[in-house]
Amino acid sequence: MHSLQFTAESSSNGIVERDFTVGDVPGVLWSPASGGDHAPLVLMGHGGGNHKKHPAMSGRAWRLVTGCGFHVAVIDAPGHGDRPRTAHDEAEIAELFRARAAGEPEGPIVVRYNAHLAERAVPEYLATLDALQELAEIGADGPVGYWGINMGTAIGIPFVAAEPRITAAVFGQHWPDVLARKAQQITIPIEFDLQWDDEHISRDEGLALFDAFASKEKSLHVNSGKHKELPRFEVDSAVRFFARHLGGAVPSPA
């Protein structure tokens, strides 16, 4: 078991940002500058090709910390951010770029590669959650959420299926191929995002993954637009969802 080691700290606009490592996995923890003792924790998963401090991650964290008083943490996925790529990573990425240039479907490659990344990342998320809950300001008894879209869903669904400490989760925009079976094991409240005109993931595929969740409370958020056109107002909805289920304040839209 690896302990959490803080490697850098900064503070701005009421938020403390701390870089950390758990073993050799780098991450970042955003917390309220004051009043955050034993506040709920939201773990997030970033998208493919991005990293733990991508603007989508820092922006969502800012909303959860300032609007709800939560702690928020993200780790770099294998082969992303500050982590080196393996030969397998390089080969899969090259194949993805080849298919994209040739106009071939990307889905089979992404599904295969993301499943490989999830096998490596799920134990890392489990270890990170263990380490974060050892911090005095978080503790082991508070509610925990998970928020991940695209590759964050590919990693998040098997993670949430394996982790009973997760109270609520936001997923979306992924193929059901290897995830539907894991989704059937998830019964917590779910919010799910789907783009109706996604050029990579068909409507039937997106709906099949949503339908697979065994949750009694699950909300499907469908918007027109292509894969990368998820409306920013869905962040507002996700923040309200976590505030409702994890016990924070309900923030006004930014």
Side-chain angles (χ1 to χ4, degrees):
M1 180 176 179
H2 298 288
S3 61
L4 184 148
Q5 301 292 327
F6 287 114
T7 58
E9 180 175 327
S10 61
S11 180
S12 177
N13 298 319
I15 298 176
V16 176
E17 177 182 297
R18 289 176 285 179
D19 294 347
F20 66 81
T21 58
V22 177
D24 60 357
V25 178
V28 57
L29 174 64
W30 291 279
S31 300
S34 61
D37 284 353
H38 296 281
L41 168 68
V42 175
L43 297 172
M44 295 197 298
H46 62 76
N50 295 330
H51 56 85
K52 61 185 178 296
K53 292 188 181 181
H54 186 273
M57 298 294 96
S58 59
R60 293 170 190 173
W62 185 86
R63 293 293 311 281
L64 289 166
V65 175
T66 61
C68 303
F70 293 168
H71 301 279
V72 181
V74 189
I75 60 175
D76 279 330
H80 288 70
D82 294 323
R83 303 183 66 178
R85 289 178 178 173
T86 65
H88 183 89
D89 294 329
E90 297 286 5
E92 290 286 59
I93 293 167
E95 178 63 9
L96 176 60
F97 287 158
R98 184 207 61 76
R100 185 174 296 169
E104 298 174 2
E106 300 178 12
I109 302 166
V110 175
V111 167
R112 180 183 68 218
Y113 182 42
N114 281 356
H116 171 76
L117 294 177
E119 289 180 359
R120 297 160 62 188
V122 168
E124 296 170 350
Y125 267 93
L126 295 170
T128 298
L129 178 55
D130 288 342
L132 288 168
Q133 288 194 323
E134 291 182 356
L135 298 175
E137 63 268 36
I138 294 179
D141 299 326
V144 182
Y146 179 87
W147 187 356
I149 307 296
N150 301 317
M151 189 181 76
T153 286
I155 292 172
I157 286 179
F159 167 60
V160 172
E163 181 44 76
R165 287 173 288 183
I166 304 299
T167 304
V170 175
F171 297 120
Q173 294 187 271
H174 208 280
W175 296 263
D177 302 60
V178 298
L179 295 179
R181 183 173 58 84
K182 293 292 186 180
Q184 292 168 358
Q185 302 172 27
I186 294 175
T187 59
I188 60 172
I190 295 295
E191 188 166 288
F192 190 89
D193 295 320
L194 186 153
Q195 288 299 94
W196 203 236
D197 308 299
D198 196 312
E199 68 274 30
H200 302 300
I201 305 166
S202 71
R203 296 172 183 177
D204 287 345
E205 289 172 317
L207 291 170
L209 182 52
F210 171 75
D211 192 51
F213 290 102
S215 308
K216 291 183 178 179
E217 179 184 337
K218 56 180 181 179
S219 299
L220 177 63
H221 288 220
V222 179
N223 289 280
S224 62
K226 295 185 179 299
H227 186 73
K228 293 186 177 181
E229 295 175 347
L230 182 69
R232 294 186 67 181
F233 59 70
E234 288 297 347
V235 171
D236 299 329
S237 177
V239 171
R240 291 193 298 269
F241 171 83
F242 284 119
R244 188 164 67 249
H245 289 288
L246 305 185
V250 178
S252 299

